[in-house]
Amino acid sequence: MKSSAIAHSNIALIKYWGRSRDHDSNLNIPSNDSVSMTKLGLSDDIHLQTRTTIDFSDIYEKDTAILEGEVLTGRMMERILRVVNPLRKIVNIDYKFKMISKNDFPTQAGLASSASGFAALAIAAVDALGIDFSKEEISTIARLGSGSAARSIHGGFVYWYKGNSHETSFARQICGLDEFDMSAVIAIIHEGKKDVTSDVGHESAYTSPFDRVRISKSQEQAKDIEKAILDGDFSEVGKISEENSKYMHAVMMTSNPPLFYWHPSTLKLIKSIQKIRESLECYFTVDAGPNVHCLCRHENTYELQKMLEEMEYVDKTIIVRPADDSHVTKEHLF
Ligand code: PMV
């Protein structure tokens, strides 16, 4: 019972930050709807994807999960079991599993490795166990590992309904990869691991006095951005994304304890993007890390990349296009 999957990461245009306090926090049911673009990295060695193989068999004496050659324990293993256990229960087997997973980009650097990681795990585990699930159902399972993974099941532009139960908190596609003209250039400032993972950060969002405002604004912005995507209105999508990213960082910075994901260069870059915008239309969005995603139209990506690469504090850049759906592959890792 072996299967492998390839899943892409995604960049949130409307952010998920904070879990609903009305539900068990292990369910990762968010406080607000969110919207993202699933990403395909265009550089030779970085496609921003995770490949995962999982095998269930009676030959294994215990569950083992290996990421980048490291055997996972503690919180990470707990999150993997939250995805796999409900599936084992559905098919009523108690076989142990072996899982190997590889990212083609730095883990935990704010490039959404948990999104592609848990999406790949959910797709591979559902396939290995022969469960007949729709993409929306697979998205609920991926969500149990990492909220944003719910969105990475689909390609193109994706809407995640916060819902009010495990079954109703799922993502669906707004439109496919060719149906809206947007790309991004990621400006990498720092590739190291961040001090506080988003998994931990979600728990303190509610302590910010601005949390309630962000939630209600995000709810409106999610609907507005969906409409703008369907209308093909890049300017509107860019403006809303930028606003929403600032709201999230305002909440992070004013939580208790406060979370400062930005580095000094993040702010420098944001100011440069505002300047670049006078001649080339682009917008910024920043996830839980210091690196900046600069959103632009397809035709402007290489020119924008050149401008960003000239900045002394930018280590490197990655061009990203919308990706296709995450999927099963026959190429196993073991
Ligand atoms: O899925 P998590 O727990 O890694 O949270 C993702 C949080 C952000 O990347 C900051 C925002 C988002 O919606 O992806």
Side-chain angles (χ1 to χ4, degrees), residues 31 84 86 125 201:
S31 314
V84 177

Side-chain angles (χ1 to χ4, degrees), residues 78-89:
E78 227 179 80
R79 291 167 72 186
I80 286 171
L81 291 173
R82 258 195 260 141
V83 170
V84 177
N85 283 344
L87 299 174
R88 276 198 284 220
K89 211 161 154 199

Side-chain angles (χ1 to χ4, degrees), residues 12 14-17 114 146-148 151 198-199 202 248 287-288:
I14 301 301
K15 312 289 187 188
Y16 148 50
W17 193 249
S114 61
S146 167
S148 55
R151 299 185 307 240
S198 34
D199 181 41
H202 288 298
M248 179 180 73
D287 269 352

Side-chain angles (χ1 to χ4, degrees), residues 10-19 28 32 34-36 79 110-115 118 143 145-151 160 194 197-200 202 244 248-249 252 261 286-289:
N10 68 77
I11 175 67
L13 307 174
I14 301 301
K15 312 289 187 188
Y16 148 50
W17 193 249
R19 303 178 174 107
N28 289 337
N32 59 276
S34 58
V35 174
S36 59
R79 291 167 72 186
L111 295 177
S113 58
S114 61
F118 285 103
R143 194 200 70 239
S146 167
S148 55
R151 299 185 307 240
W160 171 18
K194 51 198 175 199
T197 62
S198 34
D199 181 41
V200 171
H202 288 298
N244 189 266
M248 179 180 73
H249 286 274
M252 290 164 159
Y261 285 109
V286 186
D287 269 352

Side-chain angles (χ1 to χ4, degrees), residues 107-325:
T107 305
Q108 280 183 25
L111 295 177
S113 58
S114 61
S116 53
F118 285 103
L121 173 63
I123 294 171
V126 164
D127 187 59
L129 295 171
I131 301 172
D132 184 19
F133 263 178
S134 66
K135 279 190 184 297
E136 280 73 18
E137 285 168 310
I138 300 177
S139 142
T140 64
I141 296 294
R143 194 200 70 239
L144 297 171
S146 167
S148 55
R151 299 185 307 240
S152 268
I153 299 299
H154 307 279
F157 296 84
V158 181
Y159 195 109
W160 171 18
Y161 298 93
K162 67 185 167 96
N164 54 20
S165 62
H166 169 65
E167 290 74 20
T168 54
S169 185
F170 62 83
R172 64 153 183 81
Q173 191 179 62
I174 298 173
C175 68
L177 74 165
D178 293 328
E179 293 172 276
F180 178 57
D181 176 3
M182 191 168 88
S183 292
V185 182
I186 311 176
I188 309 227
I189 288 169
H190 179 76
E191 270 189 340
K193 284 198 178 185
K194 51 198 175 199
D195 299 337
V196 181
T197 62
S198 34
D199 181 41
V200 171
H202 288 298
E203 291 300 299
S204 62
Y206 79 96
T207 62
S208 163
F210 305 120
D211 187 45
R212 289 275 122 211
V213 180
R214 190 202 68 84
I215 292 170
S216 73
K217 286 300 279 180
S218 298
Q219 212 46 36
E220 285 167 28
Q221 288 178 317
K223 307 277 181 243
D224 293 346
I225 211 167
E226 177 181 38
K227 180 173 181 309
I229 290 171
L230 291 170
D231 289 347
D233 188 345
F234 168 72
S235 305
E236 188 66 8
V237 170
K239 279 180 207 152
I240 300 174
S241 305
E242 211 175 88
E243 283 302 305
N244 189 266
S245 168
K246 288 186 290 179
Y247 294 160
M248 179 180 73
H249 286 274
V251 165
M252 290 164 159
M253 290 178 196
T254 51
S255 292
N256 185 10
L259 293 171
F260 296 98
Y261 285 109
W262 291 6
H263 288 197
S265 308
T266 310
L267 187 56
K268 281 190 195 155
L269 197 52
I270 285 174
K271 297 197 108 181
S272 304
I273 289 167
Q274 288 173 327
K275 188 96 194 110
I276 293 174
R277 185 145 72 212
E278 291 168 14
S279 58
L280 184 159
E281 193 175 8
C282 60
Y283 300 89
F284 66 83
T285 182
V286 186
D287 269 352
N291 302 317
V292 179
H293 281 67
C294 191
L295 310 172
C296 64
R297 294 191 172 88
H298 290 327
E299 60 178 11
N300 291 329
T301 32
Y302 290 99
E303 196 183 340
L304 179 61
Q305 179 183 42
K306 204 160 155 270
M307 289 176 176
L308 294 172
E309 283 195 338
E310 273 163 15
M311 292 168 192
E312 70 201 72
Y313 42 84
V314 173
D315 276 354
K316 71 170 175 212
T317 59
I318 305 171
I319 289 183
V320 295
R321 301 264 188 243
D324 215 339
D325 288 7

